[in-house]
Amino acid sequence: MAETGGLFGAEIRDEFQLSKELVHLNHGSFGSVPRSVYEARLERMKELEICPDDWFRYNFVLLVTKGSETVSKLIGSSSSENVVFVENATGGITAALRSLGLKMQSKAGLLVTGLSYEAIRHTAHKVCEIEGHFVLHTINLDPPYKDKFEVVQRYRDYLSSHSDVHVAIVDHITSPSTLLLPVKEIVSVCHEFGVAVIIDGAHAPGQVEINVEDINAEFYTGKSCSFFLYFIVNYVFGLKVISGT
Ligand SMILES: Cc1ncc(COP(=O)(O)O)c(C=O)c1O
């Protein structure tokens, strides 16, 4: 694979096959993969066509294992066993919610934000409807803020007056408002109130350093359009969701 570490913008332009006739401004909704990734992908597809039986029985499993080891190093997870691939970011959130729902007392509050991605808000709403475990709450995170502590304070104020909230979905980088939220501090406040956190890190990999163990959320789901990787990290421990208090 070509060595491209640390380069951005024009310096890395030739590594992508994007048309030079256009100025591509939206790399969030759909991504183009670097040439080296594109070529590696073609190789894998060729291997599959040459011997599908071998591919699905053996090669695929080995590649997924290797992939989760690579991703876990990138996101600061000490074990690749905490990292799995999911179909997309929405699927990661759904999987997290449904697994938490199994441990949930009925009518537990599920907190999203006014800036949550539309599909995630719909997912949260649908999970509330289908599973019947959750009641949807929305915290107002509209700017302006003086500093990151104001955002954290909004969580403290909200959770102080809504003790039924058991789970919060928090964006790492909001879409399309593009705010970088202080997720580590928000997780810490949520944990003070016994609230489990699912971080929606859809836009974070590749844009900001991620250390999931430092952030300390129960789940972190992220995607990298450029590499078509989706992952979710799960290390649930004794919060309201488990204890049912
Ligand atoms: C913040 C955020 N969360 C979730 C998603 C959904 O991602 P996916 O289409 O991979 O499910 C997006 C899509 O851009 C997003 O911006």
Side-chain angles (χ1 to χ4, degrees):
M1 188 183 282
E3 187 48 69
T4 53
L7 300 181
F8 288 98
E11 284 177 306
I12 204 174
R13 182 70 180 76
D14 283 341
E15 178 63 13
F16 292 86
Q17 299 176 76
L18 290 162
S19 155
K20 291 193 171 141
E21 314 274 301
L22 300 166
V23 178
H24 303 269
L25 297 176
N26 181 7
H27 300 289
S29 302
F30 315 104
S32 160
V33 297
R35 283 176 201 280
S36 46
V37 175
Y38 173 78
E39 278 151 23
R41 188 209 276 164
L42 289 185
E43 274 305 304
R44 300 287 91 79
M45 286 168 74
K46 213 157 40 177
E47 286 165 15
L48 188 160
E49 294 305 320
I50 289 168
C51 189
D53 209 55
D54 241 13
W55 168 266
F56 284 106
R57 282 182 204 283
Y58 309 112
N59 302 1
F60 175 71
V61 179
L62 291 176
L63 285 167
V64 167
T65 306
K66 204 169 150 208
S68 54
E69 283 165 5
T70 305
V71 172
S72 50
K73 281 187 200 130
L74 284 173
I75 60 170
S77 169
S78 52
S79 168
S80 60
E81 290 191 0
N82 286 347
V83 180
V84 295
F85 293 110
V86 290
E87 207 172 310
N88 53 32
T90 314
I93 300 278
T94 309
L97 280 177
R98 298 198 80 163
S99 70
L100 283 173
L102 295 174
K103 301 172 176 123
M104 193 71 56
Q105 66 184 27
S106 154
K107 305 298 171 209
L110 167 59
L111 181 63
V112 294
T113 86
L115 302 179
S116 295
Y117 187 66
E118 197 66 19
I120 300 302
R121 247 181 302 148
H122 286 311
T123 300
H125 181 71
K126 206 69 203 163
V127 170
C128 291
E129 211 176 84
I130 296 172
E131 305 252 339
H133 296 295
F134 298 110
V135 175
L136 200 60
H137 288 240
T138 304
I139 180 172
N140 176 5
L141 288 189
D142 286 353
Y145 320 114
K146 257 199 325 287
D147 53 35
K148 69 177 183 181
F149 301 108
E150 267 191 33
V151 185
V152 179
Q153 189 58 41
R154 284 203 206 177
Y155 269 91
R156 186 175 292 288
D157 293 344
Y158 194 92
L159 295 176
S160 300
S161 54
H162 297 86
S163 59
D164 57 320
V165 172
H166 282 50
V167 181
I169 302 176
V170 181
D171 295 80
H172 200 160
I173 299 178
T174 64
S175 166
S177 39
T178 66
L179 294 171
L180 176 63
L181 295 184
V183 281
K184 183 180 169 178
E185 290 82 354
I186 293 172
V187 169
S188 170
V189 170
C190 286
H191 285 178
E192 271 179 47
F193 288 85
V195 172
V197 186
I198 303 168
I199 303 285
D200 176 0
H203 292 292
Q207 295 214 72
V208 290
E209 288 277 325
I210 299 169
N211 186 317
V212 284
E213 291 188 4
D214 190 43
I215 292 170
N216 202 25
E218 282 62 44
F219 293 87
Y220 188 108
T221 178
K223 65 172 176 171
S224 174
C225 285
S226 316
F227 300 93
F228 291 90
L229 285 180
Y230 306 94
F231 50 87
I232 178 166
V233 179
N234 173 9
Y235 48 108
V236 177
F237 51 92
L239 299 168
K240 280 184 193 167
V241 280
I242 305 291
S243 61
T245 53

